[in-house]
Amino acid sequence: NYTSSREKEYSLVVVTDSEKQRILLGEKHRGFGTGMYNSFGGKLEREESATASACRELEEETGIVSPLSIMEESHVGTLRFTFEDSETEMVVHLFRVNVTISASGNDKSGGPALQSGGRTFPIAIKSDTIRGCDEITPFWVDNWSAIPFDNMFADDSLWLPALLSGSDFIRLDGWFHFQAGGQNINSISHWYMDI
Ligand code: 6OG
């Protein structure tokens, strides 16, 4: 297939604690965007759905367990990235998951909070649930107005504030064209968003 050979598909999960207006970011230690902060996700594996990839990557990179059904409801849109110096188009399936920290948590047992719906009813986790892996170290940004965009991909400052301030049922699709690939991606020459 001519198109899909040039397309690389990814999942990206934005994790918020909307009660405290916090967002969980990860510092990347390897792969695309090393040294930068991003939400959680990665390449879709062969035959893997975007939702399954989002669940797998979220658990690998943060320890947060979300059932497929919750992740399904948390799909908010698609981000497309193209680069001046590359034929490849990155297609990033975007999810938003809301968590609350509780004393007991229920991320392993699947209690009522897990079954009542993704974005509107948060996933209850214990404070010690969150842990990183060798690829990424998660950390809370304690206020949505203090997101360190200077150390994040340039597109984030364009769509993340809209996602955070939007309703639970926001849809967000975007296309961002970067002037150069690799690590030097801080120059977006064209972009389009549909919110
Ligand atoms: P690995 O290759 O490490 O997954 N990603 C991007 N996220 C944002 N916000 N902006 C970009 O601008 C991105 N390019 C890639 C997709 C890479 C992870 O990083 C995301 C994946 O979740 C170009 O497995």
Side-chain angles (χ1 to χ4, degrees):
N1 181 311
Y2 183 72
T3 315
S4 64
S5 66
R6 287 160 178 247
E7 266 185 19
K8 288 216 168 85
E9 278 189 272
Y10 298 82
S11 58
L12 186 65
V13 186
V14 173
V15 178
T16 56
D17 170 357
S18 51
E19 204 173 287
K20 295 205 174 109
Q21 302 254 304
R22 299 192 296 174
I23 179 169
L24 192 69
L25 293 177
E27 181 177 354
K28 287 284 292 281
H29 303 308
R30 52 181 157 86
F32 195 52
T34 295
M36 298 176 81
Y37 308 145
N38 204 349
S39 292
F40 305 93
K43 235 178 241 125
L44 267 60
E45 289 178 350
R46 256 178 83 95
E47 317 259 300
E48 187 180 43
S49 70
T51 308
S53 165
C55 287
R56 178 180 53 75
E57 294 281 353
L58 182 66
E59 184 172 4
E60 275 173 24
E61 296 182 347
T62 68
I64 298 169
V65 177
S66 167
L68 273 173
S69 57
I70 300 287
M71 194 59 83
E72 197 96 49
E73 285 180 54
S74 308
H75 185 230
V76 292
T78 307
L79 305 175
R80 289 172 185 272
F81 301 119
T82 51
F83 303 88
E84 197 63 49
D85 59 351
S86 165
E87 295 285 297
T88 304
E89 177 177 17
M90 295 175 73
V91 178
V92 177
H93 302 278
L94 182 63
F95 297 80
R96 178 191 175 170
V97 161
N98 198 25
V99 300
T100 50
I101 312 294
S102 74
S104 59
N106 60 7
D107 55 322
K108 291 281 182 248
S109 59
L114 283 177
Q115 283 151 20
S116 35
R119 282 169 283 157
T120 3
F121 299 96
I123 298 173
I125 59 169
K126 287 188 272 194
S127 58
D128 62 1
T129 297
I130 294 172
R131 49 109 187 105
C133 65
D134 54 350
E135 195 184 321
I136 199 159
T137 303
F139 62 97
W140 286 106
V141 175
D142 281 332
N143 196 309
W144 287 351
S145 60
I147 296 172
F149 287 117
D150 285 353
N151 201 34
M152 296 165 73
F153 285 121
D155 54 280
D156 290 42
S157 63
L158 299 171
W159 60 263
L160 187 52
L163 180 67
L164 296 178
S165 60
S167 88
D168 280 347
F169 301 100
I170 192 173
R171 297 284 315 169
L172 192 155
D173 295 295
W175 166 64
F176 306 88
H177 185 74
F178 290 83
Q179 277 173 342
Q183 297 298 303
N184 182 23
I185 45 77
N186 280 318
S187 45
I188 292 175
S189 58
H190 304 75
W191 59 278
Y192 167 82
M193 271 200 301
D194 184 14
I195 300 180

